[in-house]
Amino acid sequence: MKTELSRTLGIEHAIFGFTPFPAVAAAITRAGGFGVLGAVRYTAPDDLARDLDWMQDHTDGLPYGLDVVMPAKKVDGVSEADVEAMIPAGHREFVRATLAKHGVPELAEGEASGWRITGWMEQVARGQLDVAFDYPIKLLANALGSPPADVVARAHDHGVLVAALAGSARHARHHADAGIDIVVAQGYEAGGHTGEIASMVLTPEVVDAVAPLPVLAAGGIGSGEQIAAGLALGAQGVWLGSLWLTTTEADLHSRALTEKLLAAGSGDTVRSRALTGKPARQLRTEWTDAWDDPAGPGPLPMPLQGLLVAEAVSRIQKYEVTPLLGTPVGQIVGRMTTERSVRQVFDELTRGFEKAVDRVNRIAGRGGA
Amino acid sequence: MKTELSRTLGIEHAIFGFTPFPAVAAAITRAGGFGVLGAVRYTAPDDLARDLDWMQDHTDGLPYGLDVVMPAKKVDGVSEADVEAMIPAGHREFVRATLAKHGVPELAEGEASGWRITGWMEQVARGQLDVAFDYPIKLLANALGSPPADVVARAHDHGVLVAALAGSARHARHHADAGIDIVVAQGYEAGGHTGEIASMVLTPEVVDAVAPLPVLAAGGIGSGEQIAAGLALGAQGVWLGSLWLTTTEADLHSRALTEKLLAAGSGDTVRSRALTGKPARQLRTEWTDAWDDPAGPGPLPMPLQGLLVAEAVSRIQKYEVTPLLGTPVGQIVGRMTTERSVRQVFDELTRGFEKAVDRVNRIAGRGGA
């Protein structure tokens, strides 16, 4: 499965795997794809350095990349405390009451809450980049808007390609104007932040909008047939995130969450502002229902919502409060019904792709079938 | 472009075109596809007979089909007047005020309002079938749920295949249990009534759910690349509706509406309950905005909403009140930028399909590329 882009990057298959887990990212790279490590949870640069050391030792010299969350919009002279102060008391009370209703325990004294996506991630992301450019990463992806010009320049100075996610042709053109190298066209059905245009329509629209820049198809892809579809739509590769969440190498730190993912159907996700304040597809839970209920106060805009719910999400995850327990994941979750190794998943993808190509060739009357 | 299903039906290309216009349906059939005439607007059986006569004279003996709207749920002993009486006065006032705000003129005395989709369509649809089975139709499609058992049996007695639209694997299994022959998997991005699962995920899910029944991919398909994608996903053909609305053979009776379709981007549709009470994708207009505004009364459930707005929609269409003027159409509307003949559109589809197959073969390393 070779495209111009996969040749540029020196990978066997044009399959890009996004994951927060180094073991998964490394396994994707070793399987012949391109592993992209999500950096958002690394608030301490040393933790990122430790995991990139590990990646370097477990990728046999094959290429991999890093995904950061760096909002293009910068808010100078405003501290996180200033923003915390903007959160209405009624919203804090709603969080408290919703957790209390489900008997969610408090964190221990001094225990840190988990990651959060805020408009104040830029300093964190820049700290991550200071670490990352010491490693031979081949790709830097930005999950939220176009990366700042100096970051693009710095990546290019290091010979690192820059990718950015887009939910519309307009976003994609904006990225192209910002000098990035690859657009990830993220369809409505994808996990995480998405727009409303589905992959079937979005992929070719973005391909046309930014040609000759290469485009990766993201959203709804979890089989070789879907890879063939994404490539037929003009993509130079596919970008898969959700599918790896139930691999044996993934470390969700919650058996209950893994079980929920394995049991969920394609209709069990929702595009909700509950997590970050911007629409992001995730498992539908009583937590998202509470935020999406017209009778409730509703989510705050980014970055307020992320700050508001960070501690609550940590508590729900730590204590595995099943009705509230969720994660960003795409509609492809319906296909994630068994736990397998990354290698098994990857082999099934490439075999399924070959079968889909055979099938389309038969339909087209090619190859004497 | 041949599949088992296209061979069964004796068509050159596995492209099914749904349209309310006989001239479009006949042109699709003559171009080597399978034209399906939407019957919902034929309230008088004689009108349908006249247009099927015309179809018969303009399809060179090639096959075509009919699409009816026949709800599976039947409500006995309740008249249309009973239902009219269930519409709250506040909703009628909202319709009146919204039309008044935009200066929409009244219909002339005694002038009939246009089509409407109601739960009381079954008698109408049965009248259509009495006409249709006198013609050599090869396919009967039902746009709303599984057709009743006696209708399926009657179709099969006439050698007519039965298709039904499904927005989820569960719907599709229900159709299969009802004895239908073909499932049209209608993705979130499609025009008209849709569920929330996008085509990229829905198509293979439905294929798996009803195998070995053939599945047609619908939603987001308006190019040869998208046809290749749908077929790669396991479909035995594709079902296109929106794309024909801006062909030269289409007769929208409104230049303003054609212009709106040509100008609209993929982000200019909305899945709204404004038209029928069930979510249906359509052009976003000030009319859909009014119904989707949380400050308004919101749409009524089917069939009340369809009854409530029927006359208003007729007035908006007749007087071409541009801000309110809409139509069911999918996200593919962004690709509908020029008026061309059905034959030109069809030729571009088949050429684009061949190019997409070439491309996927190059990526797969087939054919010495």
Side-chain angles (χ1 to χ4, degrees):
Chain A
M1 198 185 307
K2 286 205 166 29
T3 63
E4 204 179 323
L5 178 62
S6 73
R7 289 194 181 90
T8 302
L9 288 167
I11 54 177
E12 192 182 346
H13 299 292
I15 299 173
F16 293 70
F18 165 79
T19 171
F21 309 115
V24 174
I28 292 166
T29 284
R30 287 200 309 275
F34 190 94
V36 180
L37 180 65
V40 74
R41 71 197 176 101
Y42 296 98
T43 45
D46 285 354
D47 291 346
L48 178 60
R50 181 200 62 218
D51 281 2
L52 287 176
D53 279 333
W54 188 93
M55 286 281 291
Q56 194 53 30
D57 290 344
H58 292 82
T59 43
D60 306 341
L62 296 166
Y64 60 89
L66 195 72
D67 181 279
V68 297
V69 178
M70 181 174 280
K73 261 189 261 172
K74 211 172 152 175
V75 187
D76 284 319
V78 181
S79 72
E80 192 166 311
D82 294 334
V83 181
E84 289 273 4
M86 292 168 66
I87 296 174
H91 279 76
R92 294 201 186 275
E93 172 54 25
F94 181 73
V95 170
R96 200 202 58 70
T98 307
L99 296 176
K101 184 179 156 194
H102 290 274
V104 182
E106 303 270 351
L107 293 180
E109 188 78 29
E111 195 174 358
S113 76
W115 62 262
R116 44 194 177 183
I117 297 178
T118 80
W120 278 253
M121 287 298 300
E122 180 166 343
Q123 296 95 313
V124 176
R126 286 187 178 271
Q128 292 166 348
L129 293 182
D130 289 338
V131 173
F133 287 128
D134 285 342
Y135 293 82
I137 60 168
K138 296 291 182 223
L139 177 80
L140 177 69
N142 191 25
L144 212 62
S146 303
D150 68 299
V151 171
V152 174
R154 195 172 164 195
H156 288 169
D157 285 347
H158 282 82
V160 174
L161 296 181
V162 179
L165 271 68
S168 70
R170 190 177 58 79
H171 289 163
R173 275 189 291 266
H174 189 270
H175 293 330
D177 291 344
I180 66 143
D181 308 290
I182 301 165
V183 176
V184 181
Q186 169 112 324
Y188 165 84
E189 54 271 70
H193 292 121
T194 73
E196 299 202 47
I197 313 296
S199 290
M200 185 70 88
V201 173
L202 180 69
T203 311
E205 236 178 43
V206 170
V207 167
D208 288 350
V210 301
L213 283 193
V215 171
L216 302 178
I221 302 186
S223 74
E225 293 77 8
Q226 286 155 335
I227 292 175
L231 297 173
L233 294 172
Q236 286 211 20
V238 291
W239 174 277
L240 288 70
S242 303
L243 192 66
W244 318 107
L245 289 173
T246 50
T247 56
T248 50
E249 290 92 339
D251 189 3
L252 285 177
H253 297 288
S254 165
R255 188 66 214 164
L257 182 54
T258 299
E259 296 292 345
K260 277 188 100 164
L261 287 169
L262 294 170
S266 57
D268 293 328
T269 72
V270 64
R271 189 169 163 270
S272 167
R273 293 174 50 233
L275 195 60
T276 69
K278 279 188 189 289
R281 186 171 300 284
Q282 52 200 289
L283 275 186
R284 182 179 168 182
T285 66
E286 292 190 31
W287 179 251
T288 62
D289 283 352
W291 284 107
D292 296 335
D293 186 347
L300 295 168
M302 183 180 274
L304 301 183
Q305 182 72 9
L307 285 170
L308 172 62
V309 303
E311 197 223 15
V313 169
S314 293
R315 286 163 61 186
I316 292 164
Q317 288 176 348
K318 176 173 178 182
Y319 297 107
E320 297 188 287
V321 185
T322 307
L324 303 179
L325 193 60
T327 180
V329 72
Q331 292 184 338
I332 199 66
V333 70
R335 185 177 282 272
M336 295 154 52
T337 55
T338 56
E339 288 175 277
R340 290 168 304 161
S341 69
V342 168
R343 170 64 76 173
Q344 284 173 307
V345 169
F346 208 90
D347 288 349
E348 190 174 296
L349 291 176
T350 53
R351 271 200 311 271
F353 172 71
E354 296 297 332
K355 279 174 61 179
V357 176
D358 289 343
R359 184 166 187 286
V360 172
N361 275 319
R362 274 198 306 276
I363 293 172
R366 312 276 183 98
Chain B
M1 198 186 307
K2 286 206 164 30
T3 63
E4 203 179 323
L5 178 62
S6 72
R7 289 196 182 90
T8 302
L9 287 168
I11 54 177
E12 191 182 345
H13 299 294
I15 299 172
F16 294 70
F18 165 79
T19 171
F21 309 114
V24 175
I28 292 166
T29 284
R30 287 198 310 273
F34 191 95
V36 180
L37 179 66
V40 73
R41 71 195 176 99
Y42 295 97
T43 44
D46 285 354
D47 291 345
L48 179 59
R50 179 202 62 215
D51 281 1
L52 287 176
D53 278 333
W54 189 93
M55 287 280 291
Q56 194 53 29
D57 290 343
H58 291 82
T59 43
D60 305 341
L62 296 166
Y64 59 89
L66 195 73
D67 181 279
V68 297
V69 178
M70 182 174 279
K73 259 190 263 175
K74 210 171 152 175
V75 188
D76 283 320
V78 181
S79 73
E80 193 165 309
D82 294 335
V83 180
E84 289 271 5
M86 292 167 67
I87 296 175
H91 278 77
R92 295 201 186 276
E93 172 54 23
F94 181 74
V95 170
R96 200 201 57 71
T98 308
L99 295 176
K101 184 179 157 194
H102 289 275
V104 181
E106 303 270 351
L107 293 180
E109 188 77 31
E111 195 173 359
S113 76
W115 63 263
R116 43 194 178 184
I117 297 177
T118 80
W120 277 255
M121 285 300 300
E122 181 167 344
Q123 295 96 310
V124 175
R126 284 186 180 273
Q128 292 166 348
L129 293 182
D130 290 338
V131 172
F133 287 127
D134 285 343
Y135 293 82
I137 62 168
K138 296 290 181 225
L139 177 81
L140 177 69
N142 191 23
L144 212 63
S146 302
D150 68 299
V151 171
V152 175
R154 194 172 164 196
H156 288 170
D157 285 348
H158 282 82
V160 174
L161 295 181
V162 180
L165 269 69
S168 71
R170 190 176 58 78
H171 289 163
R173 275 189 292 267
H174 189 271
H175 292 330
D177 292 344
I180 66 142
D181 308 290
I182 300 165
V183 176
V184 181
Q186 168 113 322
Y188 164 84
E189 54 271 70
H193 292 121
T194 74
E196 298 203 46
I197 314 296
S199 290
M200 185 69 89
V201 173
L202 181 68
T203 311
E205 237 178 42
V206 170
V207 167
D208 288 351
V210 301
L213 282 192
V215 171
L216 302 178
I221 302 185
S223 73
E225 294 76 8
Q226 287 156 333
I227 291 175
L231 297 173
L233 294 171
Q236 286 212 22
V238 291
W239 174 276
L240 287 70
S242 303
L243 192 65
W244 318 108
L245 289 174
T246 50
T247 56
T248 49
E249 291 91 341
D251 189 4
L252 286 177
H253 296 288
S254 165
R255 188 66 214 164
L257 182 54
T258 298
E259 296 292 344
K260 277 188 102 164
L261 287 170
L262 293 170
S266 58
D268 292 328
T269 73
V270 64
R271 189 169 162 269
S272 167
R273 294 174 49 233
L275 194 61
T276 68
K278 282 188 188 288
R281 186 171 300 285
Q282 53 201 288
L283 275 187
R284 182 178 167 183
T285 66
E286 292 191 31
W287 179 252
T288 63
D289 283 353
W291 284 107
D292 297 337
D293 185 345
L300 295 168
M302 184 181 273
L304 300 183
Q305 182 72 10
L307 285 171
L308 172 62
V309 303
E311 198 223 14
V313 170
S314 293
R315 287 164 59 186
I316 293 165
Q317 288 176 348
K318 175 171 180 185
Y319 297 107
E320 298 189 288
V321 184
T322 307
L324 304 178
L325 193 61
T327 180
V329 71
Q331 291 184 340
I332 200 66
V333 70
R335 184 177 284 271
M336 294 154 51
T337 54
T338 56
E339 289 175 276
R340 290 167 303 159
S341 70
V342 167
R343 169 63 77 171
Q344 283 173 309
V345 169
F346 208 90
D347 288 349
E348 191 175 297
L349 292 176
T350 53
R351 271 199 313 271
F353 171 71
E354 295 296 333
K355 279 174 62 178
V357 176
D358 289 344
R359 185 165 188 285
V360 172
N361 275 322
R362 274 198 305 277
I363 293 173
R366 312 275 183 98

